[in-house]
Amino acid sequence: MASENEWVSTSADYTKPRPSGAADAWTEEANRQSTKGGQELTRTGKAVPPPAVASAFGLAAGETAIVRGRTIYADDAPVELADTYYPRDIAEGTPLAEPRKIRGGAVTLLTELGHVAARVIEDVTARPASQIEQQQLQLADDEPVVVIERLSLDEAGQPVQADVMVAPAKLRRLRYEMKVH
């Protein structure tokens, strides 16, 4: 059971395209949890991704991907820093590289562009927050963060999206559900 002020997230919702006219997954999750949720797009365009993303995308040192950086809010408080990276051959020249919200979310647009995630790999770790994360997430000096690294692969095993999300550990509980055949 989630305690008060704890954000429970089911990752699968974020990896599926949205129905036509639906809000993005974050907005729908905030509504389910009776929270006023929002996102602030903090950066878009070409960027050198972190080493794990560069490796997954097969990029050489210094090569760029397309990034969409966001600060996620619940009840007007920052609760997550999320950077989503896309291979340039998928995202360049599309709304993924533009500094504006995408109706239905980026996963829906990726699907419309023909890039459907068939497999998702997530790594979850905890660590001390950096100074920048402390400032952006309004954390005390000794508060840890949870880092979620999600890689979405298409049917051929090619990466279509990589997410790096950082959230205060005290507010976050992840729920993973799977079918057992």
Side-chain angles (χ1 to χ4, degrees):
M1 285 278 165
S3 64
E4 189 175 323
N5 298 325
E6 184 178 55
W7 189 265
V8 180
S9 178
T10 302
S11 296
D13 293 340
Y14 292 91
T15 64
K16 298 175 187 171
R18 316 298 299 151
S20 180
D24 61 88
W26 172 257
T27 301
E28 286 193 359
E29 184 171 308
N31 289 338
R32 277 193 307 274
Q33 297 195 37
S34 300
T35 303
K36 180 183 166 207
Q39 299 183 37
E40 176 188 0
L41 194 58
T42 56
R43 65 183 179 136
T44 57
K46 295 178 189 173
V48 175
V53 174
S55 176
F57 285 4
L59 300 177
E63 284 190 291
T64 60
I66 300 296
V67 67
R68 293 180 66 79
R70 298 163 324 282
T71 301
I72 311 297
Y73 294 90
D75 292 332
D76 298 322
V79 295
E80 182 177 280
L81 306 174
D83 286 339
T84 302
Y85 296 89
Y86 305 94
R88 286 179 50 193
D89 62 335
I90 289 175
E92 252 179 345
T94 76
L96 293 168
E98 297 174 5
R100 62 183 174 93
K101 287 191 85 170
I102 298 171
R103 187 173 191 59
V107 173
T108 301
L109 176 61
L110 276 174
T111 299
E112 292 169 2
L113 295 171
H115 303 285
V116 179
R119 186 167 63 120
V120 175
I121 303 166
E122 283 193 0
D123 287 304
V124 181
T125 57
R127 62 167 170 74
S130 71
Q131 273 193 321
I132 292 172
E133 292 163 346
Q134 287 173 8
Q135 293 168 352
Q136 292 175 329
L137 293 170
Q138 302 171 0
L139 302 175
D141 289 346
D142 60 347
E143 286 188 67
V145 292
V146 172
V147 180
I148 305 163
E149 295 176 310
R150 178 185 302 139
L151 180 63
S152 299
L153 304 158
D154 66 15
E155 196 65 47
Q158 294 301 307
V160 296
Q161 176 176 316
D163 301 282
V164 179
M165 299 158 283
V166 178
K170 69 180 180 185
L171 297 179
R172 196 66 174 216
R173 184 180 93 189
L174 301 171
R175 173 176 289 151
Y176 292 89
E177 297 178 19
M178 61 190 92
K179 290 184 179 180
V180 179
H181 298 276

